[in-house]
Amino acid sequence: MSLTYLEAIREAQYEALNTRPEVFLYGQDIGTFGGAFKATKGLSKEFPGRVIDSPISEDAMVGVAIGAAIEGARPILEMQFADFSSVGFNQIVNQAGTLFWRTQTPCPITIRLPSGGTPGSGPFHSQSMESIYAHYPGLVIVTPATVDDAYWMLLDSVDLDDPVIFCEHKFLYYHLKADALGGRGLPIGKARIVRPGRHATVVAYSAMVHEALRAADELALDGYQIEVVDLRSVKPLDTETLLGSIARTGRILCVGESFPWGGVTAEVVARITAEAFHLLDAPPMRLNSKDTPIPYHPNLWKAHRPTVTTITESLKHLLRY
Amino acid sequence: MSLTYLEAIREAQYEALNTRPEVFLYGQDIGTFGGAFKATKGLSKEFPGRVIDSPISEDAMVGVAIGAAIEGARPILEMQFADFSSVGFNQIVNQAGTLFWRTQTPCPITIRLPSGGTPGSGPFHSQSMESIYAHYPGLVIVTPATVDDAYWMLLDSVDLDDPVIFCEHKFLYYHLKADALGGRGLPIGKARIVRPGRHATVVAYSAMVHEALRAADELALDGYQIEVVDLRSVKPLDTETLLGSIARTGRILCVGESFPWGGVTAEVVARITAEAFHLLDAPPMRLNSKDTPIPYHPNLWKAHRPTVTTITESLKHLLRY
Amino acid sequence: MTTLEVADADWTPEFGRKYMAAFQVMQRARLMENKIGALYRSGGQVVGGVYLGRGQEAFSGGLGVQLQKGKDIYAPLIRDQAGRVAFGEEELDFFRTYLGAAPGPMRGRDGNIHRGRPKEGLLAMISHLGSMVSVVAGCLLARRMAGRLGDAVGATSIGDGGTSTGAFHEALNLAAVEKLPLIVSVANNQFAYSTPNDRQFACETLVDRAKGYGVRGWSVDATDLAQCLKTFEAAVAEARAGGGPQLVEGCLLRLSGHGEHDDAAYVPDAIRHSRLGQDCLLRAEKQIVARGLASESEIEQWAARVQKEIDAVVVQVAREPRPDPYRERWEAFSVRGMVEGFAE
Amino acid sequence: MTTLEVADADWTPEFGRKYMAAFQVMQRARLMENKIGALYRSGGQVVGGVYLGRGQEAFSGGLGVQLQKGKDIYAPLIRDQAGRVAFGEEELDFFRTYLGAAPGPMRGRDGNIHRGRPKEGLLAMISHLGSMVSVVAGCLLARRMAGRLGDAVGATSIGDGGTSTGAFHEALNLAAVEKLPLIVSVANNQFAYSTPNDRQFACETLVDRAKGYGVRGWSVDATDLAQCLKTFEAAVAEARAGGGPQLVEGCLLRLSGHGEHDDAAYVPDAIRHSRLGQDCLLRAEKQIVARGLASESEIEQWAARVQKEIDAVVVQVAREPRPDPYRERWEAFSVRGMVEGFAE
Ligand SMILES: Cc1ncc(C[n+]2csc(CCOP(=O)(O)OP(=O)(O)O)c2C)c(N)n1
Ligand SMILES: Cc1ncc(C[n+]2csc(CCOP(=O)(O)OP(=O)(O)O)c2C)c(N)n1
Ligand SMILES: [Mg+2]
Ligand SMILES: [Mg+2]
């Protein structure tokens, strides 16, 4: 039985509802309708009263999840698109992010953000907001790139006593399939070496892992062995695994799909430079989307985000240094 | 006649109202009351009908400013505290930040954010949000550190045809005084070498410039000449001036008051590493606040943000490398 | 809360002319949307999703015909094709945007229902529901401050679902405080995507909210063009006369899915077959024929003429260039020199 | 909208006892706040700003006495010292937080009015106005889902200014959809900081909004403890009985500045001297004496006893340790091992 990335997310929610009575789902159109992307398909029928349609009120939705968590529940919130979480931004960063630190009351909520670009989606249905949320203290930010991680990391997120921003990539929903679900993987906070190599390291996360792998394939034709590391969670960010990789390759490119100013790739470069300066044979590079809103037309969209072509080019540049 | 940083902001608004009929001010309690910090004191009387009290509606306030800008106005919006702009986050990043790119309609709004920590203010009246807004395309982020810059950069912001997030530091409001106002300074987008040196560079902005200068004083006693660069605006970020400085000193520490994950200091380090790797004698360092909400009690607050002590220590570390 | 009934006496020749004009707006909108729906289903040509206003033309167009381009401000939402036609948006803008042609007003940067020309008073919506209301308020405030508001109004619409947003609340409250000439039309089509009204709000009717904002409230059977016309005419006149914001709720059903990808299976048959489910265009057509304003064949001729225009535009747009990433100015700032290089 | 008048017949012995209990709550709150105000003015001891509820004790305490700690949820706002006392918050929590003693519930991390003990049903507000309403709704929803709501209620308050926030709107609407036993008390003290009501909203009274949310609305002269008690008793009972959210507007004036740094010069004398400006505590005291429930000297004795307690607590707290940055656990996560080192 094969399973898509999207189905894995649905299955994980099934499992969470099935095994933990504290879990409930809250979001727009997630009940009978099964959600805009069908990530909750059938769940309201299987778990009556625990898969609840919300009004179009992202601020209040997050507030509700936090209140429920205070009472011991473990809500999973679905934002219809990551982009709309901007309306719940205040509750996320100021209420959820500070609750434990201020009051010693844990806040085990999981906020699912259907993230990232797909062709034709435009500036408000394509955003990757991991960098925004990671900047604020108190939030765990996970960015699964595989079917297994989509499944297990969602369950791990629900189990975690801290608020988790679960960035699931819409481009992977249908495109990414696994033949079967693997066993429980690494914990949140650990990166994974997806492909070992020795000439350079590409650090990526979410959909960009797959672009990076394709770039590694390309360069293999030229005889380069590119190591690919999947961050899996961008906060906590697994600096150690990165340092190990750089110790082997001496060269690193960090690829992210969000906007170029600050964010994950800058954080990775800043850490690596601070901690592995002596291991570097070349300056750490980064590659992000362009510094404009995300374009609607596929011609522009394809040029806006990093792709196998631009990653390959960047790597060639890095290898030449 | 001496002038505080706060008075400079008031004077700049006076000047803007006086010279440009398109300017108006909008914000909570900014009319007769003159604003929570008195940054608009007396202005509603001098410019009747152009200094307007708003309801407690940050989302709509930003929307109003954008609409007004579409009609050719140049509004200056006051947030009562930077922290409350989180409620207007969506309109700022998604409406103001995208307007020009989407429709070729300029959006000349200035949003004043009373920013940064002061003792006893706690998690929701102390934030520095420049890194959050700088991540999104389409927003100019300025962070004046001096009385002159507070004045001239506010006028420059009003003149600019793009949305500006004007991060003014509350700690400097009363503490920082100039004997008189200087002439028009550098344009937005240019950093300034505040103190030349040759052993190491400290890059800072806003209130941290003054802590950095004090650290430079301390180290001068040990014979070190520390160069201090004031970024002035964090987007655009003046990489060139930084590269020039590093060419002289070979060592760099970037100091910021916002949270440590991502943000200005990571962006600075990532750029410098990419562009000046060969000039570096030591890994670029950064120093930020701690990764928790900003504490209320002064004992904790003082330890949460970078201070002259921690900057000095970091510099010593950097100089020893 | 006011509901204006339309009596026979209302059917003056003048009203008949307005009715016919509005009908033609509705008809054109329907035909344009039918075309884009067909192109969407046949695949390949349409970029992005397609969200139609089928069934909402009387309500949307009824407001649109009260507005004057060059004078008023209009911020249409996703189901306002009729309002756009009435406001004078060019057909080319519609097809160029949907088909992703480079010369469109959004030049491939943003799509379909997000198109607009703010400098001409036609705002370009962002997706976040509720966000446009305050922007229209800001336009009006600025004009008033500059002394050039005159008797212009600003209009925008929102769905039943959009009324649950904080943005809607903040903006309407603010507009009421400033007593701005703002018309907010609430197209209560009973569903927000799949979510029925009873999961969206608990008040009896949305126009019950008007009093709580201190604004005038109007309620209308939005499948009836005559009522829409009469009500919007009165509401817009009141706003122009300084009566402050007007909240107009129209009750109806969308006669399509949320988008063309959606079969709307969640809409119960009972509602479909209720008065709410009437097709405003058919109702208006019958009315026109019954009142002898035009014959069925005349109406068909109009449609044929519009259809020809539409087909010609589609042919033209299909030949136009698509956006070219190499010629694109990848800068979000209007001021040149603000942009920085991100070393890659 | 319901306004309950208090007739002589309402003054049963039972009501008298409740009145006296509520008065003592108000008195204690006033004395605590007077103390902290004095300490603030004398300088040095108080950390951060001081925001008082003087003049709002009848309204705040009137709600608080209806709540049961251990059963109900309460999210007080900035002027709810009386409600806190009624709910059973310890005096120590108040002084430890204001004076920045390390053993307080917030351990120096957050201050003054932000204190709370969420696990005991006393939520700790964030500053962003309107944000707590949905959190209380979430508590109630989770309990109902877990089958342990019983007849518990959740209560929170908001100011006239806070009603302009989108957060307030979204949350009240959502609570109405879910028919949650939520009480929202709106302390309409005519000003939001310096901003008068006519710059904040355009409706006649804020309780006019109840209908638009489909919730029950109540209006009360908030300077009159008897009316507050009677109204909150009825509103809370209705919520407990499944009547859904209750919106209670109290009209009054704050008898202090916005904070103790503010002289409130913007409040016109006419309002100060109107009925709104009456001191609810003095009114209640007169009522008690007039009804022979207690004598002036008894009331003074109560005050003296409370004052002594307060002074003792202040002395104790003054000696307690202050937060130590070296012992502080600088981690925002509850799960250890989630924290990362930021190389400096
Ligand atoms: C703030 C926000 N949240 C969620 C969405 C996703 N969304 C787009 S349309 C829609 C339903 C809108 O319903 P309604 O307002 O009733 O308008 P209708 O589609 O019925 O015309 C939703 C939830 C959005 N656009 N904005
Ligand atoms: C979202 C938000 N914006 C601004 C503020 C700053 N602020 C704190 S209290 C206050 C006035 C509140 O007025 P009101 O709600 O009437 O309560 P009152 O002080 O009169 O009790 C303001 C503007 C805030 N706390 N939250
Ligand atoms: Mg709808
Ligand atoms: Mg008030």
Side-chain angles (χ1 to χ4, degrees), chain A residues 28-29 56 58 80-81 84 87 125, chain C residues 56 78-79 127-129 158-163 165 187 189 191-193 254 258:
Chain A
Q28 293 151 24
D29 305 294
I56 305 178
E58 283 79 4
Q80 201 152 79
F81 284 80
F84 301 133
V87 178
H125 289 76
Chain C
Q56 306 198 181
I78 51 179
R79 309 204 191 278
S127 294
H128 300 72
L129 294 167
I158 192 128
D160 36 272
T163 64
T165 61
N189 61 12
F191 290 87
Y193 209 152
R254 63 167 146 73
H258 174 64

Side-chain angles (χ1 to χ4, degrees), chain C residues 279-333:
Chain C
D279 183 341
C280 59
L281 191 69
L282 291 184
R283 265 191 91 173
E285 197 172 320
K286 275 190 204 140
Q287 184 73 261
I288 286 171
V289 175
R291 296 213 172 253
L293 296 167
S295 68
E296 273 179 45
S297 72
E298 277 174 295
I299 292 174
E300 267 168 43
Q301 278 164 28
W302 300 341
R305 203 178 319 130
V306 172
Q307 190 63 53
K308 240 173 125 177
E309 274 176 52
I310 288 173
D311 293 342
V313 170
V314 171
V315 170
Q316 176 194 330
V317 170
R319 285 201 215 97
E320 289 178 344
R322 268 37 192 172
D324 176 351
Y326 297 102
R327 288 169 171 217
E328 180 65 27
R329 183 175 161 223
W330 290 106
E331 300 184 11
F333 294 120

Side-chain angles (χ1 to χ4, degrees), chain D:
Chain D
M1 190 263 286
T2 311
T3 301
L4 301 180
E5 301 296 341
V6 181
D8 270 341
D10 286 311
W11 284 90
T12 60
E14 156 95 27
F15 189 74
R17 275 192 297 279
K18 285 188 190 160
Y19 193 91
M20 297 273 282
F23 172 78
Q24 288 181 318
V25 160
M26 291 166 63
Q27 189 184 45
R28 184 178 289 270
R30 178 72 61 93
L31 290 168
M32 289 168 75
E33 292 203 332
N34 283 349
K35 183 73 185 183
I36 217 68
L39 289 171
Y40 174 83
R41 276 183 296 280
S42 68
Q45 284 198 66
V46 173
V47 179
V50 169
Y51 300 82
L52 303 184
R54 193 177 297 141
Q56 307 198 180
E57 291 94 343
F59 191 63
S60 175
L63 170 55
V65 295
Q66 311 299 334
L67 306 176
Q68 277 172 255
K69 198 169 159 187
K71 169 178 168 175
D72 298 319
I73 314 266
Y74 184 39
L77 230 69
I78 52 179
R79 310 206 189 277
D80 280 325
Q81 185 47 35
R84 288 172 179 271
V85 170
F87 194 69
E89 188 192 39
E90 286 193 38
E91 229 146 64
L92 261 175
D93 281 7
F94 174 90
F95 285 106
R96 281 175 166 161
T97 312
Y98 267 109
L99 301 177
M106 312 306 276
R107 295 149 310 129
R109 293 178 173 185
D110 203 349
N112 49 54
I113 45 178
H114 298 99
R115 70 192 183 277
R117 295 186 178 268
K119 284 174 209 149
E120 300 172 19
L122 185 66
L123 302 191
M125 64 174 269
I126 68 167
S127 294
H128 300 70
L129 294 168
S131 301
M132 300 312 294
V133 187
S134 58
V135 179
V136 179
C139 293
L140 297 170
L141 194 70
R143 285 201 190 170
R144 187 168 70 193
M145 225 176 295
R148 54 181 183 78
L149 179 59
D151 69 344
V153 298
T156 187
S157 52
I158 192 127
D160 36 272
T163 62
S164 300
T165 61
F168 166 79
H169 169 76
E170 292 193 359
L172 185 52
N173 180 63
L174 185 154
V177 167
E178 293 292 348
K179 224 173 190 317
L180 294 170
L182 171 74
I183 290 98
V184 178
S185 68
V186 181
N188 181 351
N189 62 11
Q190 319 300 319
F191 290 86
Y193 208 155
S194 76
T195 305
N197 282 352
D198 65 357
R199 296 294 310 157
Q200 194 70 242
F201 52 81
C203 48
E204 275 168 45
T205 88
L206 285 168
V207 77
D208 283 348
R209 297 204 171 156
K211 195 173 179 212
Y213 292 107
V215 306
R216 180 91 190 256
W218 310 76
S219 181
V220 45
D221 169 358
T223 67
D224 178 5
L225 175 59
Q227 224 190 82
C228 291
L229 279 177
K230 191 171 167 182
T231 307
F232 279 120
E233 185 168 322
V236 170
E238 181 146 338
R240 291 201 198 283
Q246 312 287 316
L247 188 70
V248 186
E249 179 182 9
C251 293
L252 74 169
L253 212 60
R254 65 169 143 73
L255 303 179
S256 60
H258 174 64
E260 286 304 273
H261 60 277
D262 170 33
D263 63 7
Y266 44 81
V267 178
D269 277 348
I271 297 191
R272 278 190 206 282
H273 299 135
S274 75
R275 290 182 55 86
L276 291 168
Q278 295 173 92
D279 183 342
C280 59
L281 192 69
L282 292 184
R283 267 191 90 174
E285 197 172 322
K286 275 190 204 141
Q287 185 72 263
I288 287 171
V289 176
R291 297 212 172 254
L293 296 167
S295 68
E296 272 181 42
S297 72
E298 277 173 295
I299 292 175
E300 267 168 42
Q301 279 164 29
W302 300 342
R305 203 177 319 129
V306 171
Q307 190 63 53
K308 241 172 124 179
E309 275 176 49
I310 287 173
D311 293 341
V313 171
V314 170
V315 169
Q316 175 195 331
V317 170
R319 284 202 215 97
E320 289 178 345
R322 269 37 193 171
D324 176 351
Y326 297 102
R327 289 169 169 216
E328 180 64 27
R329 184 177 161 222
W330 290 106
E331 300 184 10
F333 294 119
S334 86
V335 176
R336 300 201 179 231
M338 272 296 137
V339 184
E340 357 170 37
F342 287 93
E344 279 170 4

